[in-house]
Each structure stands twice: as structure tokens, then as C-alpha cells.
Amino acid sequence: MRSFYSIAILCLLGACSPLQRFNKDKARFDNSTVVKSFKSVTDGNDCYFVIRENNFFEFYRQLFDSVKNTFYPGKYSKDGDILKLDFYDKKGEKILGKKALINEEKKEIIFFDHSPAINKKFVFN
């Protein structure tokens, strides 16, 4: 009986996993055209933040232009000029923050949480 409950709990956790949440939107994500792309290169890791149609975005890293070694997709909503980021996997939020502001004049995107303190910057390619 104990193992039954353990299996039931694991199944419930798997159904709510970030990957499971993303898989529901994956087809729409894949079919969404890229609107803007930002890039930052630090310590050999190229970091990308890509804004797509249908309010999707993705943040990923590549080591020396190789395959993606991290991938954090999500959806955004706009509040004025601010993008409110909703990552499928909250690890992405811990890296970048919950909000972003695009500065068209400087061609950069600034990520932050509750205050405008800058977490990271990415510049247009």
C-alpha cells in the first residue's frame, strides 16, 4: 500500500513538471516566428533571449556555439513597456528575474525582479 501512494505522488509530480507544462504548448511554440533576439557572451557561454510570436520566449545558453546546454522557455505578458516573464521552469526566473524592459535606443534588454536593479543585459545580434 505504501508503494502505491509513492507511485501516485510521483505521477502527480510528473504531471505538473515544467517539461509537462511546456509540452502542452510546444507545437504552438515551435510554430511561432522569432520577433527579436538578444545575445550576451560571457565566459565562453553564449546566452540568448528570444522573443517569439504568441507571447512566447526562450532563454538558453550555448558553450562555444555548440548545442544548447540550458533551455528555459516561457510566456510573457506586457504591462506598458515591461514584459512580465512566466517561465515554465522557475529556474529560468532565478537566473534572469520576473520582468524585462527593452531599450530600443540602446538595443538592449534589461532583466530585473521587483526593483529596477539590473540582473543581466543582452544586446541585439
Side-chain angles (χ1 to χ4, degrees):
M1 189 65 149
R2 193 180 218 180
S3 63
F4 171 77
Y5 289 120
S6 298
I7 292 171
I9 290 171
L10 288 174
C11 288
L12 285 173
L13 289 174
C16 297
S17 72
L19 181 59
Q20 184 66 27
R21 286 181 52 221
F22 176 64
N23 284 340
K24 292 178 183 179
D25 289 335
K26 187 170 182 346
R28 284 189 61 223
F29 176 89
D30 289 340
N31 290 321
S32 296
T33 305
V34 171
V35 176
K36 286 189 179 175
S37 180
F38 301 90
K39 177 181 179 181
S40 177
V41 180
T42 57
D43 299 330
N45 264 322
D46 295 351
C47 299
Y48 297 87
F49 187 83
V50 180
I51 299 173
R52 297 174 165 268
E53 291 178 326
N54 301 315
N55 292 27
F56 286 110
F57 69 84
E58 64 181 305
F59 168 67
Y60 63 92
R61 293 179 181 157
Q62 289 180 312
L63 185 60
F64 302 114
D65 290 328
S66 64
V67 295
K68 295 177 184 177
N69 60 20
T70 58
F71 175 66
Y72 299 104
K75 295 198 81 173
Y76 70 88
S77 60
K78 287 191 86 170
D79 184 7
D81 291 339
I82 295 176
L83 299 177
K84 292 183 177 182
L85 308 177
D86 182 20
F87 287 90
Y88 289 98
D89 185 339
K90 297 306 176 194
K91 290 179 188 174
E93 185 179 294
K94 290 179 183 174
I95 296 169
L96 292 182
K98 298 177 185 178
K99 298 176 185 175
L101 180 64
I102 297 172
N103 184 329
E104 297 287 352
E105 188 175 300
K106 292 184 177 181
K107 299 188 185 297
E108 68 184 11
I109 186 167
I110 301 167
F111 299 92
F112 59 97
D113 279 318
H114 304 290
S115 67
I118 297 171
N119 285 347
K120 304 271 184 193
K121 279 188 183 180
F122 293 86
V123 294
F124 279 109
N125 289 347

